[in-house]
Amino acid sequence: MQVRPGASSNTKLMPVLDHGPRNKKQIALTFDADLTALMRKRLLSGKVKSYYNKALVDELRAMHVPATMFLTGMWMEQYPQVVRELANDPLFELGTHTYDHRGFAKHCYTLGTVPPGEMLADVRRAVVQLDQLDPHATRWFRFPGGCYDATALHELAPAGVTAVGLDVPGADGFAKSAQPIVKQVLDHVQNGSIVVLHMHGGDNAPYTAQAVGPIVRELRARGYELVTVTRLVSRR
């Protein structure tokens, strides 16, 4: 059986990948699809039309940008057909982002906290959900808010996934325009960077689609190749 990208056999401690090799001019753009219980309420009440930023995905496709996307279980439940479409697109690879986007360490913004005894089940639940929708699902995983501690890494080791951190937060959450997002990314990237942006749009990340075009054009002008996380860490 083929080993999936990001699969870990370390049963004691979940591995964490923060960036790729610094000697190659490659950068991975990654996009998180958050959905929390509160966000779902806003969706169902009609306050928010959608937490799927289709304009962003259309832009990535138009510019032929490979990307790694991290999906919460709740988001997959809301948009199963979209997950299947993304899974079938050779530009993209999919990983998990927990079930409902609660924090895996105390005081993680306003996300609440998953009790240690529930951490493993939460992460496994999202992995199972993604496997049902994507036959090529990776074992890359991202912590909500990027928050974790030694307890989380220990509790989650049996899940067999690798946490993908970041060295460039895109700051698109609750941004007021596209320009600060573009500046934040372009000011901080370097060889091997993993950039974190969001693909749920709505009221939480409304300007990501407008920011991605200028970011991609400038990175390519600087000579960077945009790749998936799997390609970033491959030895080829």
Side-chain angles (χ1 to χ4, degrees), residues 126-147:
V127 170
V128 168
Q129 286 175 292
L130 183 57
D131 280 354
Q132 288 168 348
L133 296 167
D134 177 7
H136 331 284
T138 72
R139 291 296 179 259
W140 301 120
F141 163 82
R142 174 162 286 143
F143 282 105
C147 306

Side-chain angles (χ1 to χ4, degrees), residues 89-100:
D89 191 324
L91 274 176
F92 306 137
E93 67 176 9
L94 307 182
T96 52
H97 193 36
T98 74
Y99 175 68
D100 59 2

